[in-house]
Tab-separated table of all heavy atoms in Angstrom:
chain	number	residue	atom	x	y	z
A	4	LEU	N	0.812	-1.221	-0.001
A	4	LEU	CA	0.000	0.000	0.000
A	4	LEU	C	0.837	1.263	0.002
A	4	LEU	O	0.407	2.311	0.463
A	4	LEU	CB	-0.973	-0.006	1.186
A	4	LEU	CG	-1.894	-1.226	1.251
A	4	LEU	CD1	-2.747	-1.178	2.506
A	4	LEU	CD2	-2.771	-1.300	0.009
A	5	GLY	N	2.090	1.171	-0.498
A	5	GLY	CA	2.931	2.337	-0.652
A	5	GLY	C	3.379	2.974	0.647
A	5	GLY	O	3.787	4.116	0.674
A	6	LYS	N	3.321	2.223	1.730
A	6	LYS	CA	3.623	2.804	3.045
A	6	LYS	C	5.089	2.615	3.414
A	6	LYS	O	5.511	1.528	3.786
A	6	LYS	CB	2.738	2.163	4.110
A	6	LYS	CG	1.275	2.457	3.908
A	6	LYS	CD	0.434	1.819	4.972
A	6	LYS	CE	-1.019	2.148	4.757
A	6	LYS	NZ	-1.874	1.494	5.708
A	7	GLY	N	5.859	3.651	3.311
A	7	GLY	CA	7.232	3.648	3.785
A	7	GLY	C	8.183	2.849	2.919
A	7	GLY	O	7.781	2.059	2.080
A	8	LYS	N	9.471	3.027	3.141
A	8	LYS	CA	10.497	2.369	2.351
A	8	LYS	C	10.826	0.984	2.871
A	8	LYS	O	11.402	0.178	2.169
A	8	LYS	CB	11.761	3.235	2.318
A	8	LYS	CG	11.549	4.539	1.588
A	8	LYS	CD	12.808	5.364	1.587
A	8	LYS	CE	12.539	6.685	0.880
A	8	LYS	NZ	13.686	7.559	0.885
A	9	TRP	N	10.503	0.687	4.102
A	9	TRP	CA	10.881	-0.615	4.672
A	9	TRP	C	9.685	-1.397	5.190
A	9	TRP	O	9.774	-2.593	5.407
A	9	TRP	CB	11.876	-0.417	5.815
A	9	TRP	CG	11.329	0.453	6.909
A	9	TRP	CD1	11.497	1.799	7.015
A	9	TRP	CD2	10.515	0.063	8.010
A	9	TRP	NE1	10.817	2.274	8.122
A	9	TRP	CE2	10.203	1.220	8.759
A	9	TRP	CE3	10.008	-1.151	8.435
A	9	TRP	CZ2	9.421	1.193	9.899
A	9	TRP	CZ3	9.216	-1.163	9.591
A	9	TRP	CH2	8.950	-0.001	10.293
A	10	ARG	N	8.532	-0.742	5.394
A	10	ARG	CA	7.374	-1.433	5.970
A	10	ARG	C	6.954	-2.604	5.088
A	10	ARG	O	6.942	-2.524	3.887
A	10	ARG	CB	6.217	-0.470	6.167
A	10	ARG	CG	6.484	0.464	7.342
A	10	ARG	CD	5.337	1.349	7.645
A	10	ARG	NE	4.160	0.569	8.027
A	10	ARG	CZ	2.948	1.102	8.099
A	10	ARG	NH1	2.754	2.362	7.800
A	10	ARG	NH2	1.935	0.363	8.454
A	11	GLY	N	6.599	-3.694	5.729
A	11	GLY	CA	6.190	-4.893	5.030
A	11	GLY	C	7.342	-5.808	4.676
A	11	GLY	O	7.139	-6.878	4.120
A	12	SER	N	8.557	-5.401	5.014
A	12	SER	CA	9.747	-6.154	4.613
A	12	SER	C	10.509	-6.690	5.822
A	12	SER	O	10.132	-6.451	6.964
A	12	SER	CB	10.683	-5.261	3.807
A	12	SER	OG	11.345	-4.340	4.664
A	13	VAL	N	11.604	-7.374	5.539
A	13	VAL	CA	12.517	-7.796	6.594
A	13	VAL	C	13.058	-6.555	7.306
A	13	VAL	O	13.326	-6.579	8.486
A	13	VAL	CB	13.660	-8.660	6.012
A	13	VAL	CG1	14.783	-8.853	7.025
A	13	VAL	CG2	13.104	-10.007	5.549
A	14	GLY	N	13.186	-5.469	6.583
A	14	GLY	CA	13.620	-4.235	7.203
A	14	GLY	C	15.118	-4.007	7.093
A	14	GLY	O	15.723	-4.270	6.052
A	15	MET	N	15.706	-3.549	8.178
A	15	MET	CA	17.101	-3.110	8.170
A	15	MET	C	18.094	-4.231	7.840
A	15	MET	O	19.192	-3.951	7.391
A	15	MET	CB	17.462	-2.478	9.517
A	15	MET	CG	16.551	-1.321	9.907
A	15	MET	SD	16.402	-0.038	8.641
A	15	MET	CE	17.973	0.740	8.822
A	16	GLU	N	17.709	-5.475	8.031
A	16	GLU	CA	18.623	-6.598	7.762
A	16	GLU	C	18.472	-7.138	6.337
A	16	GLU	O	19.071	-8.153	5.991
A	16	GLU	CB	18.399	-7.725	8.766
A	16	GLU	CG	18.866	-7.378	10.170
A	16	GLU	CD	17.917	-6.413	10.868
A	16	GLU	OE1	16.687	-6.550	10.710
A	16	GLU	OE2	18.415	-5.500	11.546
A	17	SER	N	17.691	-6.479	5.495
A	17	SER	CA	17.439	-6.978	4.141
A	17	SER	C	18.726	-7.194	3.339
A	17	SER	O	18.887	-8.225	2.685
A	17	SER	CB	16.517	-6.035	3.372
A	17	SER	OG	15.179	-6.197	3.759
A	18	GLU	N	19.633	-6.240	3.376
A	18	GLU	CA	20.868	-6.374	2.587
A	18	GLU	C	21.733	-7.527	3.101
A	18	GLU	O	22.305	-8.276	2.299
A	18	GLU	CB	21.656	-5.066	2.574
A	18	GLU	CG	20.972	-3.947	1.817
A	18	GLU	CD	20.600	-4.323	0.383
A	18	GLU	OE1	21.436	-4.921	-0.330
A	18	GLU	OE2	19.448	-4.032	-0.023
A	19	LYS	N	21.826	-7.686	4.411
A	19	LYS	CA	22.583	-8.806	4.973
A	19	LYS	C	21.958	-10.133	4.555
A	19	LYS	O	22.652	-11.077	4.185
A	19	LYS	CB	22.621	-8.734	6.500
A	19	LYS	CG	23.479	-7.638	7.060
A	19	LYS	CD	23.407	-7.705	8.596
A	19	LYS	CE	24.171	-6.611	9.248
A	19	LYS	NZ	24.056	-6.680	10.733
A	20	LEU	N	20.631	-10.203	4.609
A	20	LEU	CA	19.938	-11.436	4.240
A	20	LEU	C	20.101	-11.725	2.754
A	20	LEU	O	20.293	-12.882	2.368
A	20	LEU	CB	18.461	-11.348	4.634
A	20	LEU	CG	17.612	-12.583	4.355
A	20	LEU	CD1	18.215	-13.849	4.946
A	20	LEU	CD2	16.196	-12.371	4.893
A	21	LYS	N	20.057	-10.707	1.900
A	21	LYS	CA	20.275	-10.900	0.464
A	21	LYS	C	21.634	-11.552	0.209
A	21	LYS	O	21.756	-12.454	-0.626
A	21	LYS	CB	20.216	-9.570	-0.287
A	21	LYS	CG	18.834	-9.066	-0.545
A	21	LYS	CD	18.901	-7.756	-1.317
A	21	LYS	CE	17.545	-7.143	-1.478
A	21	LYS	NZ	17.571	-5.866	-2.202
A	22	LYS	N	22.659	-11.094	0.914
A	22	LYS	CA	24.002	-11.675	0.736
A	22	LYS	C	24.023	-13.142	1.123
A	22	LYS	O	24.644	-13.963	0.446
A	22	LYS	CB	25.031	-10.891	1.559
A	22	LYS	CG	25.343	-9.538	0.979
A	22	LYS	CD	26.346	-8.781	1.826
A	22	LYS	CE	26.561	-7.390	1.241
A	22	LYS	NZ	27.415	-6.566	2.090
A	23	VAL	N	23.352	-13.491	2.206
A	23	VAL	CA	23.307	-14.892	2.639
A	23	VAL	C	22.533	-15.737	1.635
A	23	VAL	O	22.956	-16.842	1.277
A	23	VAL	CB	22.696	-15.012	4.054
A	23	VAL	CG1	22.436	-16.460	4.424
A	23	VAL	CG2	23.615	-14.358	5.085
A	24	LEU	N	21.416	-15.244	1.153
A	24	LEU	CA	20.613	-15.992	0.190
A	24	LEU	C	21.356	-16.198	-1.132
A	24	LEU	O	21.022	-17.099	-1.899
A	24	LEU	CB	19.290	-15.278	-0.065
A	24	LEU	CG	18.329	-15.198	1.123
A	24	LEU	CD1	17.166	-14.263	0.806
A	24	LEU	CD2	17.831	-16.573	1.534
A	25	SER	N	22.364	-15.383	-1.396
A	25	SER	CA	23.108	-15.441	-2.653
A	25	SER	C	24.343	-16.329	-2.619
A	25	SER	O	25.030	-16.452	-3.633
A	25	SER	CB	23.534	-14.015	-3.053
A	25	SER	OG	22.401	-13.224	-3.304
A	26	VAL	N	24.635	-16.964	-1.484
A	26	VAL	CA	25.876	-17.742	-1.393
A	26	VAL	C	25.860	-19.018	-2.210
A	26	VAL	O	26.904	-19.629	-2.444
A	26	VAL	CB	26.263	-18.078	0.079
A	26	VAL	CG1	26.522	-16.811	0.876
A	26	VAL	CG2	25.245	-18.973	0.739
A	27	ARG	N	24.695	-19.431	-2.659
A	27	ARG	CA	24.581	-20.659	-3.451
A	27	ARG	C	23.452	-20.460	-4.452
A	27	ARG	O	22.483	-19.755	-4.180
A	27	ARG	CB	24.290	-21.825	-2.508
A	27	ARG	CG	23.944	-23.156	-3.065
A	27	ARG	CD	25.078	-24.062	-3.496
A	27	ARG	NE	26.179	-24.366	-2.643
A	27	ARG	CZ	26.238	-25.341	-1.754
A	27	ARG	NH1	25.205	-26.102	-1.499
A	27	ARG	NH2	27.339	-25.567	-1.105
A	28	LYS	N	23.564	-21.087	-5.614
A	28	LYS	CA	22.495	-21.026	-6.617
A	28	LYS	C	21.297	-21.846	-6.161
A	28	LYS	O	21.423	-22.727	-5.311
A	28	LYS	CB	22.994	-21.559	-7.955
A	28	LYS	CG	23.976	-20.657	-8.636
A	28	LYS	CD	24.355	-21.223	-9.985
A	28	LYS	CE	25.342	-20.295	-10.659
A	28	LYS	NZ	25.747	-20.806	-11.966
A	29	ASN	N	20.162	-21.555	-6.771
A	29	ASN	CA	18.930	-22.329	-6.579
A	29	ASN	C	18.292	-22.162	-5.203
A	29	ASN	O	17.660	-23.077	-4.684
A	29	ASN	CB	19.149	-23.808	-6.882
A	29	ASN	CG	19.661	-24.037	-8.279
A	29	ASN	OD1	19.271	-23.330	-9.208
A	29	ASN	ND2	20.522	-25.023	-8.446
A	30	VAL	N	18.449	-20.988	-4.605
A	30	VAL	CA	17.778	-20.681	-3.347
A	30	VAL	C	16.463	-19.978	-3.686
A	30	VAL	O	16.438	-19.048	-4.499
A	30	VAL	CB	18.657	-19.793	-2.431
A	30	VAL	CG1	17.889	-19.358	-1.195
A	30	VAL	CG2	19.935	-20.519	-2.050
A	31	PHE	N	15.385	-20.439	-3.084
A	31	PHE	CA	14.063	-19.860	-3.278
A	31	PHE	C	13.631	-19.257	-1.943
A	31	PHE	O	13.467	-19.976	-0.962
A	31	PHE	CB	13.063	-20.922	-3.732
A	31	PHE	CG	13.340	-21.435	-5.110
A	31	PHE	CD1	14.315	-22.392	-5.333
A	31	PHE	CD2	12.629	-20.951	-6.201
A	31	PHE	CE1	14.587	-22.867	-6.611
A	31	PHE	CE2	12.891	-21.411	-7.481
A	31	PHE	CZ	13.871	-22.373	-7.686
A	32	PHE	N	13.460	-17.932	-1.925
A	32	PHE	CA	13.037	-17.209	-0.723
A	32	PHE	C	11.545	-16.966	-0.841
A	32	PHE	O	11.091	-16.161	-1.662
A	32	PHE	CB	13.809	-15.890	-0.600
A	32	PHE	CG	13.578	-15.160	0.684
A	32	PHE	CD1	13.810	-15.771	1.910
A	32	PHE	CD2	13.156	-13.845	0.680
A	32	PHE	CE1	13.595	-15.079	3.106
A	32	PHE	CE2	12.960	-13.148	1.864
A	32	PHE	CZ	13.183	-13.772	3.075
A	33	ILE	N	10.761	-17.689	-0.065
A	33	ILE	CA	9.305	-17.672	-0.177
A	33	ILE	C	8.727	-16.914	1.014
A	33	ILE	O	8.992	-17.248	2.164
A	33	ILE	CB	8.761	-19.109	-0.260
A	33	ILE	CG1	9.390	-19.799	-1.474
A	33	ILE	CG2	7.235	-19.105	-0.338
A	33	ILE	CD1	9.166	-21.268	-1.547
A	34	THR	N	7.945	-15.887	0.685
A	34	THR	CA	7.427	-14.995	1.715
A	34	THR	C	5.936	-14.725	1.500
A	34	THR	O	5.342	-15.153	0.515
A	34	THR	CB	8.186	-13.660	1.671
A	34	THR	OG1	7.989	-13.056	0.397
A	34	THR	CG2	9.668	-13.852	1.937
């Protein structure tokens, strides 16, 4: 609903989590 830049998300740890999810191919992040 267009509310804020981080609302509805993992938030401040998103970039750290993206790096972890990228360490191997074929990872599916289901939310």
Side-chain angles (χ1 to χ4, degrees):
L4 304 176
K6 296 180 179 176
K8 294 179 182 178
W9 58 267
R10 286 185 62 193
S12 74
V13 167
M15 304 307 285
E16 290 74 39
S17 282
E18 292 306 315
K19 289 180 183 179
L20 182 53
K21 281 181 186 179
K22 287 179 184 174
V23 171
L24 295 170
S25 296
V26 298
R27 172 83 52 87
K28 289 183 180 180
N29 303 324
V30 174
F31 292 80
F32 187 56
I33 301 169
T34 61

